[in-house]
Amino acid sequence: MSHSVELDGIGMRFGSTRAVSGVSFTVQAGEFFSILGPSGCGKTTILRMIAGFLEPTEGRVLIGDRDMRGLGPNQRPTAMIFQSLALFPLMPVWENIAFGLEARGVGRAERRKRADDLLRLIALEGYGDRMPGELSGGQRQRVAIARALAVEPGVLLLDEPLSALDLKLRQHMRAELRALQKRTGVTFIYITHDQSEALAMSDRVAVMSNGLLQQVATPRQLYDNPATPFVARFVGETNAIAGRVSAIGDGMARVDTALGPLHGRADRSLAIGQAATVYVRPEALMPGVGANTLRARVSRMDFEGAFALVHGQFPDGAALTAAVPSTRLGDAPALGTDASFSFAPEHAVVLADA
Ligand SMILES: Nc1ncnc2c1ncn2[C@@H]1O[C@H](COP(=O)(O)OP(=O)(O)OP(=O)(O)O)[C@@H](O)[C@H]1O
Ligand SMILES: [Mg+2]
């Protein structure tokens, strides 16, 4: 049985440090939900409040609509995989997996059977009698996940479980974890500071900065419609051109910038005269003149196969990055020259400066 998790205005103070302030969101039962943000923004603190290792100094945690106040980690339907996980090195794999069941009075034969079922689930059938030291990093990670699933949690809390693995293994494990979550239907709350990991794995993502919730949205929405300047800069690459709003209408805004007037999709709260920034993704910039044109001095070109990253500098020194598809490289400007790049207004977002 999987559960929903509702955070209702939770906050955490450590002495004079406010680690988390007024965070509210609801994770649906069976959802793969990520919490994304830079180091120190309060991700682990939120997970520890959900698991019951920390009691919030304000607000409530509800799991499956039940208020969790006063309930310890063992009384909650959650299991947590910690940032620095460790298996018991002197215990075979199957006993590691069944560890939580012994405390619940499950007999040895039944424990072995459950461990074998879980080994099949994580594609490590037949590995039960190995010692943790005889497994690869990714295999150990899967055993840690099986151990957490053994107690049949309604909610699995994962604190950067892939951060210790190399890039190749991390990408492989992303797909495995995602498939495992869909197969079990358990609610996953997954912490990461890696935005591509969050985008690739999640049904929805909460972005945090400095203890504050910035936005909760699907990966697509986060990328296409960032709600705050922080999200626009933190999720994916972007070009940011600052100016002042000079016209608004039909969901679009014109911003007067040092590079000339630029148009983009407008946030509802924008007002004429307000300081605002136009955010354009590198892949939205094409060589040539168009509705919105930026001129920059081309300083570097990184060929990456499917596309080339063209780096340039605006007259004021700010950086420009354009991702030009290889099929259009014939149009790409030469190094050291001043070149024009244009973008469609609907591919840019205008947000008021914070
Ligand atoms: N027990 C504690 N006592 C005092 N301050 C703490 C405690 N635990 C966390 N903090 C502070 O709270 C803030 C949030 O910490 P937290 O561990 O939640 O960050 P995080 O987002 O998980 O970061 P990372 O990505 O580095 O793991 C930090 O400024 C941290 O120093
Ligand atoms: Mg952390």
Side-chain angles (χ1 to χ4, degrees):
M1 233 285 272
S2 70
H3 294 298
S4 63
V5 176
E6 180 182 352
L7 306 186
D8 177 18
I10 59 164
M12 187 70 217
R13 247 176 293 113
F14 295 110
S16 61
T17 313
R18 271 187 151 283
V20 174
S21 305
V23 168
S24 298
F25 58 73
T26 301
V27 180
Q28 306 300 332
E31 192 172 23
F32 196 125
F33 189 94
S34 293
I35 303 176
L36 172 68
S39 183
C41 73
K43 303 181 296 295
T44 296
T45 303
I46 289 184
L47 224 57
R48 293 173 70 205
M49 289 192 279
I50 297 172
F53 293 106
L54 275 177
E55 205 50 75
T57 47
E58 61 206 61
R60 303 182 304 162
V61 174
L62 294 96
I63 302 183
D65 296 327
R66 224 173 115 220
D67 193 334
M68 290 287 122
R69 182 174 302 279
L71 299 181
N74 292 327
Q75 298 164 293
R76 300 190 182 196
T78 52
M80 184 152 165
I81 295 174
F82 293 92
Q83 209 161 352
S84 51
L85 84 127
L87 299 176
F88 302 111
L90 302 178
M91 237 181 229
V93 163
W94 82 267
E95 281 186 38
N96 262 284
I97 292 174
F99 185 76
L101 297 174
E102 190 169 3
R104 291 172 196 225
V106 179
R108 183 181 164 93
E110 177 62 19
R111 292 203 305 275
R112 177 78 212 215
K113 187 181 165 307
R114 289 284 298 286
D116 285 341
D117 288 346
L118 283 159
L119 280 165
R120 213 166 302 124
L121 186 73
I122 58 169
L124 287 178
E125 196 168 7
Y127 282 66
D129 292 313
R130 289 215 196 173
M131 301 304 275
E134 298 170 320
L135 300 178
S136 76
Q139 290 168 338
R140 275 200 291 272
Q141 208 75 35
R142 279 184 271 168
V143 171
I145 291 160
R147 181 169 65 184
L149 288 172
V151 296
E152 299 186 333
V155 180
L156 187 58
L157 307 168
L158 303 103
D159 194 351
E160 311 219 24
L162 308 184
S163 57
L165 306 180
D166 67 44
L167 180 66
K168 198 86 194 233
L169 198 49
R170 209 154 68 222
Q171 283 170 341
H172 172 72
M173 286 297 294
R174 278 180 194 177
E176 295 241 342
L177 265 185
R178 170 92 192 152
L180 187 68
Q181 191 270 333
K182 289 297 161 226
R183 209 148 59 226
T184 57
V186 172
T187 309
F188 273 35
I189 302 183
Y190 187 94
I191 285 191
T192 179
H193 62 262
D194 179 336
Q195 46 103 6
S196 63
E197 196 166 290
L199 294 182
M201 297 175 78
S202 320
D203 293 314
R204 286 190 305 152
V205 182
V207 181
M208 303 269 311
S209 161
N210 265 327
L212 295 171
L213 182 65
Q214 296 277 322
Q215 186 171 5
V216 179
T218 65
R220 241 353 251 288
Q221 286 167 342
L222 270 191
Y223 194 78
D224 290 341
N225 294 306
T228 68
F230 178 84
V231 176
R233 289 170 193 275
F234 189 72
V235 179
E237 294 291 314
T238 196
N239 294 285
I241 305 120
R244 220 161 260 289
V245 179
S246 60
I248 306 175
D250 285 340
M252 306 299 281
R254 184 177 71 211
V255 180
D256 292 337
T257 76
L259 305 167
L262 298 173
H263 303 80
R265 286 184 288 122
D267 183 43
R268 255 187 298 283
S269 62
L270 278 184
I272 289 186
Q274 201 168 22
T277 297
V278 182
Y279 297 93
V280 198
R281 301 287 181 199
E283 67 272 21
L285 287 181
M286 287 298 144
V289 176
N292 287 299
T293 302
L294 306 174
R295 278 188 75 72
R297 166 82 41 100
V298 176
S299 54
R300 205 175 90 221
M301 182 126 56
D302 301 333
F303 181 67
E304 305 218 340
F307 55 87
L309 283 181
V310 178
H311 300 275
Q313 252 188 354
F314 295 123
D316 68 356
L320 164 136
T321 308
V324 179
S326 298
T327 48
R328 293 205 49 187
L329 268 185
D331 306 337
L335 286 184
T337 61
D338 284 333
S340 297
F341 296 87
S342 60
F343 61 91
E346 58 273 21
H347 288 158
V349 174
V350 180
L351 295 172
D353 293 344

